[in-house]
Structures are given as structure tokens and as C-alpha cells.
Amino acid sequence: MTALRRLMQARSVAVVGASERPDAPSGFVIRNLLGGGFTGRLLPINPTATTIYGHPAVPKLADLTATPDVVVIAIPAAPAVGVVADAAALGIKAAVVLGSGFAETDAAGAARQHALAGHARAAGMALCGPNCLGLYNLRDNLALFSSRLAPDMPRGDVAIVSHSGAGAITLANTGRFGLSAIISAGNAVVTDVADYLGYFAATGSARVVALMLEQIGDPDAFARAMHAAHAVGLVVVALRSGRSARGAAATAAHTGALAGSNDAFAAFFRRHGVLEAADMDGVIETCVLASSRQSPPRRPGLAALGVSGGGLAHAADLADAAGVTWATLADATTTGLAALLPSYVRPTMPLDMTGIVFGEPKRYRAALDLLAADPGIGQIVAVQDAPVGLDADGAAEYAGIADAIAAYATTAPTPIALLSLLSSGPHPQVRAPLAAAGVPILQGGTPGMAALANALNPPTPAPIVAIPALASQPDWVRRLSGGPKLTEREAKAFLAAHGIRITREALATTADGAARLADTIGYPVVMKIESADIPHKTEIGGVHLGIATAAAARAAHTAILAAARHHAPNARVGGVVVQEMVSRGTEALVGLSRHAPFGLALTVGPGGVLVEWFGGHALDLLPLDAPAADRLIGASKLGNLLSGLRGQPAGDRPALAALLVRLARIAHTYADQIAALDLNPVAVLPHAQGVCVLDALLIRTCDTEPHS
Amino acid sequence: MTALRRLMQARSVAVVGASERPDAPSGFVIRNLLGGGFTGRLLPINPTATTIYGHPAVPKLADLTATPDVVVIAIPAAPAVGVVADAAALGIKAAVVLGSGFAETDAAGAARQHALAGHARAAGMALCGPNCLGLYNLRDNLALFSSRLAPDMPRGDVAIVSHSGAGAITLANTGRFGLSAIISAGNAVVTDVADYLGYFAATGSARVVALMLEQIGDPDAFARAMHAAHAVGLVVVALRSGRSARGAAATAAHTGALAGSNDAFAAFFRRHGVLEAADMDGVIETCVLASSRQSPPRRPGLAALGVSGGGLAHAADLADAAGVTWATLADATTTGLAALLPSYVRPTMPLDMTGIVFGEPKRYRAALDLLAADPGIGQIVAVQDAPVGLDADGAAEYAGIADAIAAYATTAPTPIALLSLLSSGPHPQVRAPLAAAGVPILQGGTPGMAALANALNPPTPAPIVAIPALASQPDWVRRLSGGPKLTEREAKAFLAAHGIRITREALATTADGAARLADTIGYPVVMKIESADIPHKTEIGGVHLGIATAAAARAAHTAILAAARHHAPNARVGGVVVQEMVSRGTEALVGLSRHAPFGLALTVGPGGVLVEWFGGHALDLLPLDAPAADRLIGASKLGNLLSGLRGQPAGDRPALAALLVRLARIAHTYADQIAALDLNPVAVLPHAQGVCVLDALLIRTCDTEPHS
């Protein structure tokens, strides 16, 4: 049995710090364990007591006669580190460390966490925590959980994995879905979300995993776990905290982890098929629908029906915001509905049955049967409120509709859900027959529609591609590792040395030299100050465009050096670069930037001095192959620009995609040296004419680190 | 008493179509009225019965011995029209028309609605409906409502006005807030939302109005009502359906009304201080908070505290998304909190008290007192989940925190709310003490934070400004009312005739003429084909830029006419316009376009052929004065561009604002003639140098109407 399975399915449990004090964390664990149907061995460890809750206790782990599957450590942080070391030495392969006092507190806590993780990793242990509530595996009746558990928690197919302990408790006690497991992963320094995901994928013990994420420790492991999850149809929905600056600061204060950028997380989730929820209710409704006993939609079209035109119009607005695809009705469906309903009802989506069906619920059922027979419909949703504040007689008016839906659901060739536009959901009298018939009840318009969108358009994780790194060039490794900062010209030389086309250009140290270079390059030329100390050259008069004669080149050389002396007297100036002027093509921006924990990410979008600022850029993580590069271009506003908008010539999109792939390969090769690389603008020339980098800025890792 | 007060506070009620049939709409009305504590006179009208529910009946309205305050008409649509006419003739000033069969069905229904409205308006009647459920005024025990009412509806300060009947029922039965009135306004063809709003503002019988809107019939009346509402502190929150194309189609099918653009509605709501909710839950949480017994926040800063770092980080993310302003803590608060809490707790916002307060709730109360004393805090929110699925013992663990909040709330110098990140809200054991202490309980992270944002930043309606129309010029009225379409040059001549600076330009019909004009205007010039039949001139080679000599002007004239003949052989061509070339300044787009029901609206943003497509534009309705024009520029991306981004020269923003105001005045003058007017680009020249319109397109109303 692997260490992780010992943790999740332990048959013998040692509890260090076992105590009968009513408020002791270990007491909760023991009471939960014994109350939760555990039939294995409980082994309390207590320095003085001979029994705990009637079970014989020993003073220390080493006194046990057999090696337990797991040790639960319910003592303060400092001694807990030593116990993990002892457990490792004794060959114990799994531990739960409950206490706080680790990286979430201060530097000393972080050091304790580092030591703890070292012991566990060296011994190949699985370790839940530290700074956690433990775990409860309902499938195997294993409750190693240090907070109160309701005795009748509903069992089912949803597993919860949460960095936040309170988040785990909250999500576990909504009463909205049945549970397979609850894992409070805490600081998750050894065993993290990726491991638990892998466990559920491998054991088939959950159909849905709800993640409450504060960070992703190992993106590669997470990606592999997601691919394993998708292979077995496991749905994974995540709520990430730290999406705002203040939320990220609160998260860092809470767990000591640093958050990455939202764009990078969104790209990661999209790549690997994680459904991202906007809030807790978004997680909950997706869990409700994805854990339904009905089969999932077989195609993306939604059909909605109801008795309130206003409610359906609102639902349509929310569907649009959630990105739901509507079904196009087949002619037979339209004809059938027209025959079924009054002449003034339009047989379209959403379908307003009007109040007449209160008196004739058979029509509601007949409409459901027509929709179920339509090959373009993947999911039916009955948009129906029956608010909880109604009295019994008021709620009874909805009985006919509820019965029609429930009767349909007993066969349900096409899955059906009820959507209450109120998050408080339907009145108990309406809820009961639907629940009995297995109809998932979605509560709240926005999260409910998000759940439907997730079901109708399940994510398809991209295959993990391996893009070969370029051969690293020793000279460039050296220049990227220290020494003076790179100028624009040097950054472009780096690109050229790795197969990327740049403008023809060279450095002129004299005015005559500039004129000679301009003659060689061909007019018009651009001339730019050469200095790594002047990042914004245009603003100080350090760039002259459209130089058409040798005399103008001479004059520009003099003027540019004078401007630099005036505006940046302390800047180190190497001369003036004379550069081919490319005024054709569409200006693009292409960039590499660091997004922890994912490393360098690639950005593409419209370029130029001002247009850059307008946005419309798209970001993806690495590795990136040509199809992914092309999709990224399409996701940015550059996609439309390159297609020949408003009479502009169409751009060489394949060449731009090839540039992105090459840059991704450069990023792999020099991952340690490059902090950021901005190519702006890149001229995307007309069809089949390629791309050319006009300007570049390379910031090395060593440029961003404080000098020691 | 006004007609509207008769409708809302009737003391004598005639019911046409009164019946004792259990499912008759009139039966519901009578049972609701009598069951709801009505102490006035009930006057049933029935062609044959002598009594209805024990009340003497007469055959027709004319048989009544006294004029009732209101007549409820519960008969089919066709005869209902005649009854309204009879009522008007008898001097009855208010009516409720329940039945459907009006504009929501077909052309015949629309005609019935038109006739019905005509009778009511001519007699100055107030009329609820048609196609509605009627109204229930809980303050005056007047239930003219044709659907079942729960006998114990909570009474309070929230009034509901809904175009959708089902929407009214849903919102009225959430059990989350007390009600002042429920109005199902139906097709609202005579008395509409603006009238009801005016009623609540004038009578003070509600503190919050929740609107379920499908259209705005009379924007000016609505605006006046909103200003009256704000004058008395009435909070108005609206959910509008028809925000998506499919939602709008469903709304139109439902009520026969046409929806306007989301941008125009957003501008209208912003202008007039209507809080717009994203969904039903957004309406509900805002009603809960705004109808709280606590005083509203006196300043915008939010303080949040809780025991879950993960929950607070998530709440911070949601606060950021909702646009909440956080409080900056005073030094005394920070010092006090630091002394109160363990050393590893950071005394910042949001404040993570950590789980230690479970054991020591006094610390929670002490923290609340510190926050209440901070002059920078307008509202405190306790972020606390205690999910409903907990068992009694589990819920009891939260008792200390709930009691601390409840005890604070008995004085609450700074208002406090509880936010449950779950829309199902807190466990009843936690809810009860909070509710008893008057703590508003917000449910669901997203709608709860939206409610807090609404409270912390209440809308401030802009004063209704009167901008004088320009004097209309008879020649231009004529040219805008018929005859050939206007060319670019003519559209610009229209602008110039109304005081707007355009490029110097004239029409050349010969190559020599073009050269002479170019000499006069000064080089370089632009030359453009003159034809109203060629909207995209650049694409066909109809525009030459940067013409620097007379010879080039001659050649361009010939080339442009040849290109037009080749690409648009059937276009009527007037010659070639020779135009001053303005290449300085920032390119802006300024436009007028029609947005029903608001008329012409003004758009401003970045301009030019391609940049236009990047977005970043802002829209406002008319009238528009100089401060509003300046705010609109600031709300668009042009605001930053004109401030001198990345070394660009700062633009003459006051001149652009003046152009917007002048265009708004033109819109008032020619409101009937102009369908759309696009100025793109407008060159915004450097500081104090003004603006100049380089290109314009004017589409007249008569150009958009099909020829008869």
C-alpha cells in the first residue's frame, strides 16, 4: 500500500497527544474516529495515562508493538517536528499534523515547517497538514478530524480538499450534496492537492472534487493529477482565494504562500480542465449538478422552460453571461410545441409555457417529452421558483408542475435540473418530490447557470506537449547571468542568435559612422540611443524615425547624443544604433514574464507604444506548441487585426505563431536567466512575408535580485 | 386624493366579474381583501348574483349608488376595455385590470391595450395592469391581488414593483425582509414604475423599493421619480431582464416591449441613482441591508473580520470585484488590535482573528469596539459561516461569536452586518440571536458584497440639467428631412454651420481645380472621393494622404476617380474633396446614436480606423453639461490618452468636452432628424489648441426608414 493510501485508508491509527480533555484536538479525533464506524486499531500515545477512552495507551511511538498505518500528531508545533522524525525512523508512512505554529506564523514557524517536511519527504511519508483539521474519508469510515463532525453527514460522491480548515467545514455542511471525503490540507507542505486528486482518480472513490485553493505548490504534479482525473471522468471544481491584491495579502498572511496572477491561474485551469468557480455558491451548485445520479449531457445545447416570462428572460440573461450554448430546436419539436400551447406562445428557447400549465400540468409533461426527443438538446432546465416563504396552500399550487418534472425524471432520456432563481431554493413541498426523483435542484441564478455551463461544455484538457528546448549557447548563458545590463541592440542580438528575425542594425559611435551605416542598411532608417540605463528612449528624444539621407543621419547622431546628455547625464551611452525602418505590417507585442508558481508565461497582443495600453492581450503558460500558439493569437485582439480588419492587409499569422513557439523554447533553455522579455513592436508582415522584431527589452533574473 | 392614492389606498372597491368560483381571479381578490384586514366597502358586480361572499352585488358599475375609489376588473380582455370606458364615464379614478389578452399576445391584443389606455388616460385614471396580478398595500391592508397571499407575510419597509407577476410573487415570499407593498404592474400601460416610485417617495410608506423591470416606458418620468426618491432617502434597487439578445427577445415576447442597450440603461441608472442588481439574489441582499433598522454607513470604508483566513481572503476577492472601498485603519485601532491579538496576527483589513476567539469571544467583542471607534470605518462586516448542515452541538460552537456580535449590535455606533459566504446563510441557532439583535444577515458572497458596496457608496444622482437647444436652421432641417444622403463633406458642413471646427476643405471637380485648392489650403493635403454611396472610402483607394505638391494633387484626382469608377461603378460621385491634413493631436471618436427608450446618446473614446475597434469607449445619455462631458471623457480610455501617456503631448480636454456639449445641443435641436452621427477621427490638439473634426458620417432618420 502506498503512503497516501495508508493516510486515506488507515486500519491502525496512533494518536500522539491523546487526551480525554473535552476540548483537546486529539479528543475530537478519537471521538470522531470511534463514532464514525472505524473498525481498525486505535493506539493512543500519552506520556502518563494507561488508557484513553478505554484504549490502552503507551508513552511514546517507539513503545508500540506494531507499526501503525498512520500517526495523528496533536501536540504543539515544536515537539511535533521531533515526533515526525521519530515516526519516520520507525517506518510509519503517514501522518496528520494538526497544530498551528508553522509557516503561517513567523520565521521560526517557517523553519519548523521546513524541518518537518524534510523528515517526512526523506522517509517517503504522506503527511496531511500541518496547521489543519485532518481528514475524514467517509468511504472507509476513517475520521482523523479534529473538529466536530455531524453524526449524520450525507454520504455521496463529492470529495472536498481545502487549504482552509474553515472552508472545509463550511463546504462539508451545506447539506446540498453527499460526501465521499473531507480533507483539510492545511499548509500542505508534503502532501498537497495534487496528491489527493491523484488518490481520488486512482481509487474511483469520488465523482466530483471541490477544491478550496490558496496556492498551487507543484504545477506539474497538479497537471498530471488533472489528466488522471479526466481519464476517469472525475469533475474538479476550484475556488481560489487571493485573486485580488488584498485577498492575496490575506492568503499570504494566512498560509505563508504567495499567489500568482489571475491570468496565469486562469490559463493553468483552462489548460488542465479545472472548473473555476466565482464564489462558494458556484462551487456548491457545480457539485450538486455534477454529482447528480442522472447521466451528464451528451451534447452542449440547453433547453429551458418555465411558467414565468419574466423569470425566463432573466434566466436567459444569466445564461448568456455564463456562456451557455442554447439548443436550436428541431422542426418536429417546434411543431409539437406549437400544437401543444396557445397560439400566442412562441415555441422558442427559453420556452414560456405561461400560467396555463398550473391548471393543466399534463402539458408541462408533454413539453418535456417533446424536448427530450430533440436530438439537439443536451440538458433541460426547468426555471421555477416556489419561494420558501409561501404557506402550505401557496406551495401546493406548484405541485402539478413538480410532479410533472419528477415523473419525467424517473426515465429522463435527457437530463433535467430545476433552477431556482432564488438561492434559498424551492419550498420544501416542491423540493421533496423532485429530490425523491433525483432531480438536481440548482439554487441561485448566477451559480446555477454557471453549473449548467460547466456541465454543457465540460473542459477538455490540452495534451501535455513536450517542446524541445533550444541548445543553450555558453556565451549567452554567461551574458545572461551577470555583467552589464543588456541594451535593446544586445537583446535583439540574443534573439537573432536563436533564430529570430530582427531589424538590420548596427552601432555607430561617430556621426560619419552613422551615415555610412545608413547608406549600407538603406533609407529610411531609424536611429536610437544605445544605453541600458535609458528604458524609455522616445520620451527623452532618443529616437529619430524616417531618416532619409546621410546628412540627416549625421545630424541625428549629434542630436540624439546631446538629448541623452541633457536628460540622462549619468546614463552610460554606447553610441547610436542605426536601424532598418520597417513601417509595413501590423504591430504586435510578444512577451515573456514570470508568473509564480508557473514560471515564464507568454503574452501576445496588439503592440506599439500606445496600443499596448489598450489591452486585448492573451496569456498562456509553457510549454506551447504551434496549435496552442495559434489559439493564443486568436484569443487576443491581434487575431482579428491579422485577419485584415477594415481594409488592412492580412498578417502572417503562422509566422507569428512560429515566433511564439521559438520564444517558448528560448524560455525553456534560459528559464533561470530570463526574468522578462518584451518584444514590442513586432512587425507582422503581410501573408507569407514573416515577422520582424523592431524593439526588445530583456530583463535578466540577476537584474531583479537585490545586490548582496 | 389623487387617482394614484385612490388606487393604493382605496376605501371602497368594486369588483367586476365578482364570483364565488374557487379558482376565479376575482375570488382570490375578494378573499385576500377580506382576509387582509380591509375595513372599507366591498362592492361586487355580477350580472346575476345578488350576493358574493355575503356582500350585496349589483349587475353593473352604473348600478352602484356611490362612486368607488377603485374598480377591479376580473373579466376577459375584450369586455374589460368597455368596463374601463364605463368606469371613466362614471368618474371612477382608479382601476386594476387583471386579465391577459393585451399587447403580450397579438396585434388584436395590442389594439385592445391601446383602446384601454386611451379611455383611462382621457379620464385621468390610475390603472394597474393589464395582464397583472394586482397590488397588495400592506400598510393600508388593501389586497387587490389575484394570487394566493400567505396569511402571515412579514410587514416592513420594502416595496416590490414588478412587471412580471411571477417575479412579484417570488420576491415577496423570500421571507428575508418585511414588506410594505407588492405591486404586479403587468403591461403598465397607464400607471408605470415611475408612478409607483413617486407614490412611495411622497407617502414615505417604504424605505426600499425593489424593481423587477422589463422596460422603462417614460424615462423622464422615471428620472423625476428617482430624484423625488433620493430627496427622501428612498433606496431603489432594480433587476432588469432583457440584458442579453435572447433575454430581450423573451421579454418582448412576454410584454410586447422593446429593450434598449445595456450601456444606455447602465448610464440611465447611474445618472438617476438606481442600484442595478446582477440577479435576484443581488436584489434580495440589497433589500435586506437597506431595510435594516441600523443607521446606514456614514462614510465609505469597510472593515471585515472573521475567524477564517481562507474565508476572509475569499471575501476580500469578492469585495474587490464589487468595488468596495476598504477602511484604512487609524493608528489607535492598529495598536489596540495588536495588543488584543496574538503576535502572529496582522492587524490589517480583513482582520483574521483566528480560531482563538472560539474559546475567548470577549476578544471578538473587544475588536468590534475598537473598529467602532475608528473614524475611517463606515460599515463593519463579520464574515462568518455556520452552515445549516451542522448538528446542534456543532452550531453551538459559534454561539460565543454570535453573542458577541449581537451584544455589540444593541448599540452599534457603526453599523454591522453578518456575511455568510454561503447563500443558504447561517445555521438557525446562529441566525436567531443575530436576528433578534437586528443584525442584517447577508447570504452569499457575491450578492452580499454587492449589497455592502451599494450601502457604502450610495448613488448620487446627477442634477437634471437643462441644456439649451441650438437655434434650428431651416435649410438644415430641410436637408436632414429628405433628399439625397449627405456626403462626408456635407455632414461636416452641417457641423461647421453649428459652430464646430472642421478641416479646411472644398470640392474639386477637375484635376487642375484640385491643384489650385491644394495651393490655397496649404500642403500637405488629404484628398478623398466625394460620394454618399461609398461609406468605406479607404478600402476602395478613395483616400490619398500626405499630398505634398500641386502635381501630386492633379495625379491623385485622376487616380481617385479611376478607383471609384472601378470599385463602385454605380456610385454617384460629386468629385474629390481636397482637405487640410491634420496629423497632430490624439485621435478621438465622438458619436451620437439612438438608444430606445432614451433617444440619442453620446459616445466618446479613442478614434481612428483601427483603434476604434479596441473599445474603451464610454456612453452617456442627454442632456449633458460640461462637467458631465468631462466625466464621460474620463470614463473612457481617452481620459488617460489625453493626459500625456508615454510621452505623447497632453490633449485639449476642455475643448473636447465643449465639443460633446455642442453635439448634445445639436442632438436636442435635430432630435427627430438625426439617427446617428459619427465623428471619427476628431483630432484633439495639444493644450489650448482645440479640436478639429477630420471625418464625419451623418445618418438621417429618413435614411433608416423603409420607403413607402
Side-chain angles (χ1 to χ4, degrees):
Chain A
M1 197 154 69
T2 65
L4 187 57
R5 289 203 187 214
R6 276 183 209 266
L7 176 67
M8 293 296 297
Q9 302 174 8
R11 301 292 300 148
S12 56
V13 178
V15 179
V16 174
S19 161
E20 291 187 9
R21 273 193 300 115
D23 60 342
S26 65
F28 275 105
V29 171
I30 293 169
R31 290 193 302 273
N32 285 332
L33 192 56
L34 299 179
F38 177 66
T39 55
R41 292 189 66 198
L42 170 62
L43 307 163
I45 312 291
N46 184 295
T48 54
T50 53
T51 64
I52 297 287
Y53 289 108
H55 290 254
V58 296
K60 53 187 193 300
L61 277 179
D63 299 325
L64 290 172
T65 53
T67 309
D69 287 334
V70 66
V71 55
V72 178
I73 302 174
I75 57 175
V81 176
V83 173
V84 170
D86 295 346
L90 291 167
I92 300 175
K93 290 296 178 194
V96 176
V97 181
L98 299 173
S100 59
F102 294 92
E104 78 284 1
T105 56
D106 52 21
R112 279 192 289 272
Q113 180 162 309
H114 186 74
L116 176 107
H119 296 311
R121 284 206 198 99
M125 289 173 77
L127 188 147
C128 179
N131 184 28
C132 75
L133 301 176
L135 60 89
Y136 180 21
N137 176 357
L138 286 84
R139 289 285 163 97
D140 294 291
N141 295 327
L142 182 72
L144 309 177
F145 203 75
S146 67
S147 180
R148 191 182 304 273
L149 291 171
D152 52 354
M153 296 195 101
R155 287 164 188 262
D157 293 322
V158 179
I160 295 165
V161 184
S162 175
H163 285 125
S164 156
I169 293 176
T170 298
L171 206 49
N173 288 285
T174 65
R176 296 287 308 286
F177 44 78
L179 295 165
S180 158
I182 309 164
I183 294 167
S184 160
N187 294 3
V189 65
V190 176
T191 302
D192 202 349
V193 171
D195 303 294
Y196 298 115
L197 270 178
Y199 173 82
F200 295 115
T203 58
S205 56
R207 289 171 52 220
V208 186
V209 181
L211 303 178
M212 306 284 284
L213 288 180
E214 302 193 354
Q215 77 282 340
I216 289 182
D218 180 345
D220 290 339
F222 197 110
R224 286 192 302 272
M226 281 306 304
H227 281 253
H230 277 277
V232 297
L234 183 62
V235 174
V236 179
V237 57
L239 178 63
R240 182 171 77 87
S241 47
R243 291 173 289 172
S244 64
R246 195 175 289 262
T251 300
H254 177 49
T255 62
L258 284 176
S261 77
N262 291 340
D263 283 352
F265 272 97
F268 183 79
F269 289 155
R270 194 169 55 239
R271 253 175 190 246
H272 301 299
V274 179
L275 301 167
E276 190 172 10
D279 56 16
M280 290 283 271
D281 290 317
V283 174
I284 292 166
E285 302 314 317
T286 290
C287 287
V288 167
L289 190 61
S291 66
S292 153
R293 279 180 274 150
Q294 296 180 10
S295 56
R298 283 185 296 269
R299 55 190 77 85
L302 180 72
L305 78 172
V307 302
S308 160
L312 287 163
H314 177 42
D317 291 340
L318 296 174
D320 182 68
V324 164
T325 313
W326 287 88
T328 303
L329 297 185
D331 288 346
T333 314
T334 308
T335 311
L337 290 172
L340 184 68
L341 297 166
S343 62
Y344 57 82
V345 171
R346 289 163 188 77
T348 55
M349 279 298 122
L351 181 66
D352 179 7
M353 304 277 290
T354 78
I356 61 154
V357 293
F358 279 109
E360 301 175 70
K362 277 183 188 167
R363 290 212 219 193
Y364 203 103
R365 173 60 197 273
L368 290 177
D369 288 334
L370 283 167
L371 296 176
D374 190 316
I377 296 174
Q379 170 80 46
I380 303 171
V381 63
V383 178
Q384 185 60 56
D385 285 308
V388 294
L390 292 170
D391 65 348
D393 288 343
E397 296 190 347
Y398 299 88
I401 293 170
D403 290 345
I405 296 169
Y408 167 79
T410 55
T411 57
T414 301
I416 187 167
L418 183 108
L419 174 64
S420 163
L421 295 172
L422 299 175
S423 63
S424 48
H427 192 281
Q429 283 170 245
V430 172
R431 180 186 297 274
L434 296 173
V439 178
I441 297 172
L442 301 174
Q443 302 184 182
T446 302
M449 272 298 171
L452 289 165
N454 286 340
L456 286 162
N457 294 295
T460 47
I464 296 179
V465 291
I467 298 291
L470 292 175
S472 80
Q473 301 180 16
D475 181 50
W476 279 112
V477 171
R478 185 182 52 73
R479 291 175 71 182
L480 294 184
S481 301
K485 289 183 185 180
L486 270 56
T487 64
E488 169 190 333
R489 187 177 54 86
E490 291 165 330
K492 285 161 75 181
F494 170 72
L495 296 172
H498 293 83
I500 291 175
R501 175 174 160 197
I502 63 166
T503 43
R504 280 175 288 136
E505 62 189 36
L507 185 65
T509 52
T510 65
D512 283 343
R516 276 194 304 276
L517 276 174
D519 279 343
T520 309
I521 290 168
Y523 296 98
V525 295
V526 178
M527 290 174 60
K528 296 178 180 174
I529 190 75
E530 162 94 349
S531 172
D533 298 332
I534 303 177
H536 294 297
K537 305 179 194 81
T538 302
E539 282 84 333
I540 64 130
V543 178
H544 286 214
L545 301 176
I547 293 160
T549 65
R554 267 186 216 98
H557 193 277
T558 307
I560 287 172
L561 289 180
R565 271 193 304 275
H566 178 71
H567 291 285
N570 300 320
R572 284 160 296 182
V573 170
V576 176
V577 180
V578 182
Q579 194 174 84
E580 169 191 10
M581 180 157 166
V582 179
S583 39
R584 296 171 308 139
T586 302
E587 293 195 332
L589 172 151
V590 178
L592 288 173
S593 53
R594 220 167 255 291
H595 293 259
F598 308 109
L600 286 168
L602 211 149
T603 300
V604 66
V609 174
L610 291 176
V611 175
E612 169 194 357
W613 175 79
F614 278 97
H617 300 93
L619 177 145
D620 203 356
L621 305 175
L622 307 181
L624 193 84
D625 59 6
D630 187 73
R631 280 196 302 274
L632 192 63
I633 295 166
S636 80
K637 284 201 171 177
L638 206 52
N640 275 31
L641 278 179
L642 294 181
S643 68
L645 190 73
R646 296 293 304 270
Q648 301 290 304
D652 192 343
R653 181 162 161 168
L656 182 61
L659 171 64
L660 296 188
V661 172
R662 186 150 281 264
L663 211 60
R665 295 179 63 191
I666 291 174
H668 289 297
T669 307
Y670 299 98
D672 295 338
Q673 286 83 30
I674 297 175
L677 180 52
D678 264 0
L679 319 187
N680 181 25
V682 174
V684 183
L685 300 172
H687 179 64
Q689 296 181 34
V691 296
C692 181
V693 177
L694 308 191
D695 196 349
L697 175 67
L698 198 162
I699 299 170
R700 303 168 304 174
T701 310
C702 60
D703 298 331
T704 64
E705 286 162 355
H707 293 287
S708 57
Chain B
M1 195 154 74
T2 64
L4 188 57
R5 289 202 187 214
R6 277 183 208 266
L7 176 66
M8 292 295 297
Q9 302 174 6
R11 301 291 301 146
S12 56
V13 177
V15 179
V16 174
S19 160
E20 292 187 9
R21 272 192 302 114
D23 60 341
S26 66
F28 275 104
V29 171
I30 292 169
R31 290 191 303 273
N32 285 332
L33 192 58
L34 299 178
F38 176 66
T39 56
R41 291 189 66 198
L42 169 64
L43 308 162
I45 313 290
N46 182 297
T48 54
T50 52
T51 65
I52 298 287
Y53 288 109
H55 290 255
V58 296
K60 53 189 191 300
L61 278 179
D63 298 327
L64 292 172
T65 53
T67 308
D69 286 334
V70 68
V71 55
V72 178
I73 302 173
I75 58 175
V81 176
V83 173
V84 170
D86 294 347
L90 292 167
I92 299 175
K93 289 297 178 193
V96 176
V97 181
L98 300 173
S100 59
F102 293 93
E104 79 283 2
T105 55
D106 52 20
R112 279 192 290 272
Q113 180 162 311
H114 186 75
L116 177 109
H119 296 311
R121 287 206 197 97
M125 288 172 76
L127 188 146
C128 178
N131 185 29
C132 75
L133 301 176
L135 59 89
Y136 179 22
N137 176 356
L138 286 84
R139 290 286 162 97
D140 294 290
N141 296 326
L142 181 72
L144 309 177
F145 203 75
S146 66
S147 181
R148 189 183 304 273
L149 291 171
D152 53 353
M153 296 194 102
R155 286 164 188 264
D157 292 323
V158 178
I160 295 165
V161 185
S162 174
H163 285 126
S164 155
I169 292 176
T170 298
L171 206 50
N173 288 286
T174 66
R176 297 286 309 286
F177 43 78
L179 296 165
S180 157
I182 309 163
I183 293 168
S184 159
N187 294 4
V189 64
V190 175
T191 303
D192 202 350
V193 171
D195 303 293
Y196 299 115
L197 271 178
Y199 172 83
F200 294 114
T203 58
S205 55
R207 288 170 53 220
V208 187
V209 182
L211 302 178
M212 306 285 283
L213 288 180
E214 302 194 354
Q215 76 281 340
I216 290 183
D218 180 346
D220 290 339
F222 197 111
R224 286 192 301 273
M226 281 305 305
H227 283 254
H230 277 277
V232 297
L234 183 63
V235 174
V236 180
V237 56
L239 177 64
R240 183 171 76 87
S241 47
R243 291 173 288 171
S244 63
R246 196 175 289 263
T251 301
H254 178 46
T255 62
L258 284 177
S261 77
N262 291 340
D263 283 351
F265 272 97
F268 183 80
F269 289 154
R270 194 169 55 237
R271 247 173 196 248
H272 301 298
V274 179
L275 302 168
E276 190 172 8
D279 56 16
M280 289 284 270
D281 290 317
V283 174
I284 291 166
E285 302 315 317
T286 290
C287 287
V288 166
L289 190 61
S291 67
S292 152
R293 279 180 274 151
Q294 296 180 9
S295 57
R298 285 185 295 270
R299 55 190 77 85
L302 180 71
L305 79 172
V307 301
S308 160
L312 287 163
H314 176 43
D317 292 339
L318 297 174
D320 182 68
V324 164
T325 313
W326 286 89
T328 303
L329 296 186
D331 288 346
T333 313
T334 307
T335 311
L337 289 172
L340 183 69
L341 296 166
S343 62
Y344 57 82
V345 171
R346 289 161 188 79
T348 55
M349 280 296 124
L351 180 66
D352 179 6
M353 306 276 291
T354 78
I356 61 155
V357 294
F358 278 109
E360 302 176 70
K362 276 183 187 167
R363 290 214 219 191
Y364 202 104
R365 173 59 196 273
L368 289 177
D369 288 335
L370 283 167
L371 297 175
D374 190 314
I377 296 175
Q379 170 80 46
I380 304 172
V381 64
V383 178
Q384 186 58 57
D385 283 308
V388 294
L390 293 170
D391 66 347
D393 288 343
E397 297 191 346
Y398 299 88
I401 293 170
D403 289 345
I405 297 169
Y408 167 80
T410 55
T411 57
T414 299
I416 188 167
L418 182 108
L419 174 64
S420 163
L421 295 173
L422 299 176
S423 63
S424 47
H427 191 281
Q429 282 170 246
V430 172
R431 181 188 295 276
L434 296 172
V439 177
I441 297 171
L442 301 173
Q443 302 184 182
T446 303
M449 273 297 170
L452 288 165
N454 286 339
L456 287 162
N457 294 294
T460 46
I464 296 179
V465 291
I467 298 293
L470 293 175
S472 81
Q473 300 180 17
D475 181 49
W476 278 112
V477 172
R478 185 181 52 74
R479 292 176 69 181
L480 295 183
S481 303
K485 288 182 183 180
L486 269 58
T487 64
E488 169 190 335
R489 188 177 53 86
E490 291 164 331
K492 285 163 74 181
F494 169 73
L495 296 172
H498 293 83
I500 291 174
R501 174 172 159 200
I502 63 166
T503 44
R504 280 174 289 135
E505 61 188 39
L507 185 65
T509 52
T510 66
D512 283 343
R516 277 194 302 276
L517 275 174
D519 280 342
T520 309
I521 289 168
Y523 295 97
V525 294
V526 177
M527 291 175 59
K528 296 180 181 172
I529 189 76
E530 161 95 349
S531 172
D533 298 332
I534 304 177
H536 294 297
K537 305 179 195 79
T538 303
E539 282 84 334
I540 65 132
V543 179
H544 286 213
L545 302 174
I547 295 161
T549 64
R554 266 187 217 97
H557 194 277
T558 307
I560 287 171
L561 289 180
R565 270 193 305 275
H566 177 71
H567 291 286
N570 300 320
R572 283 160 296 182
V573 170
V576 175
V577 180
V578 181
Q579 193 173 86
E580 168 191 10
M581 180 156 166
V582 179
S583 38
R584 295 171 308 139
T586 302
E587 293 196 332
L589 171 151
V590 178
L592 288 173
S593 53
R594 219 166 257 291
H595 292 259
F598 308 110
L600 286 168
L602 211 147
T603 299
V604 67
V609 174
L610 290 176
V611 176
E612 168 194 358
W613 175 80
F614 279 98
H617 300 93
L619 176 146
D620 203 356
L621 305 175
L622 307 182
L624 193 86
D625 60 6
D630 187 73
R631 280 196 301 274
L632 192 64
I633 295 166
S636 80
K637 285 202 170 176
L638 206 52
N640 275 30
L641 278 180
L642 294 180
S643 68
L645 189 74
R646 296 295 302 272
Q648 300 290 304
D652 192 343
R653 181 161 160 167
L656 181 62
L659 170 64
L660 296 188
V661 173
R662 186 149 282 264
L663 211 60
R665 296 178 64 190
I666 290 174
H668 289 299
T669 308
Y670 300 98
D672 295 337
Q673 285 85 30
I674 297 175
L677 180 53
D678 264 0
L679 318 188
N680 182 23
V682 175
V684 184
L685 300 173
H687 179 63
Q689 296 181 36
V691 296
C692 181
V693 177
L694 308 192
D695 196 349
L697 175 66
L698 198 164
I699 299 170
R700 304 167 304 175
T701 310
C702 59
D703 298 331
T704 64
E705 288 163 353
H707 292 287
S708 57

